[in-house]
Amino acid sequence: QAMSPMRVVLAALAGFVLYFAMGAVVFAMSPLRHEFERYPAVYRSAEGIKKTMPFGMAAMLLAMLCLAALYALLGGTGAGWVQGTRFGALIGAFSVCSFVIHNHVNLNIGWRLTIGQAIAYFVQWTLVGTVIGLVYRRS
């Protein structure tokens, strides 16, 4: 069955919105927010982040389009939320191993931040996958 470009775009937009909403809750309004402040030589200041945010948002939208297209290409059947949750958990595990742990090795950050990010990103990507599965809904 052919991929539906409109569904891919809608699923990507839904994932994008959820990703940034979750990011605001987890990284801007939780105790984890202050954990980044312990590493000013590693992470940008709030002002620096504001300056680079448009570039980051554009990149994340492109990433969501890639994920929604990958999801569509998988071509599975069944309930969209179940398929999407499985897909999101795989993306979450990939993110934890390829980004979070990788950063712990390369950056001078502590375990508390690493574990907090691992949990946050795994949950965030799992939920993004769930939303992509719900919105894309294979026919």
Side-chain angles (χ1 to χ4, degrees):
Q1 130 176 317
M3 178 175 24
S4 168
M6 182 55 80
R7 286 185 188 174
V8 168
V9 169
L10 291 174
L13 288 172
F16 177 81
V17 169
L18 178 70
Y19 181 85
F20 279 98
M22 288 279 308
V25 170
V26 174
F27 294 111
M29 297 168 41
S30 79
L32 196 55
R33 172 184 181 252
H34 298 294
E35 196 63 25
F36 291 94
E37 295 169 0
R38 295 181 52 204
Y39 307 98
V42 175
Y43 292 101
R44 293 183 192 278
S45 66
E47 190 59 38
I49 289 173
K50 288 177 187 174
K51 290 179 183 176
T52 60
M53 186 58 83
F55 176 70
M57 291 178 78
M60 285 311 299
L61 181 57
L62 180 57
M64 293 300 169
L65 284 166
C66 292
L67 286 178
L70 282 171
Y71 179 82
L73 290 171
L74 288 174
T77 59
W81 74 270
V82 173
Q83 294 276 353
T85 301
R86 286 184 195 146
F87 177 71
L90 286 171
I91 297 301
F94 176 82
S95 175
V96 167
C97 294
S98 66
F99 171 69
V100 177
I101 302 299
H102 183 268
N103 278 352
H104 181 80
V105 170
N106 290 315
L107 303 177
N108 191 21
I109 59 175
W111 278 109
R112 182 176 169 166
L113 180 57
T114 300
I115 291 168
Q117 285 183 323
I119 293 166
Y121 284 124
F122 183 80
V123 170
Q124 191 172 20
W125 284 116
T126 299
L127 291 175
V128 165
T130 302
V131 166
I132 287 172
L134 284 169
V135 173
Y136 187 80
R137 289 190 327 268
R138 295 181 179 98
S139 49

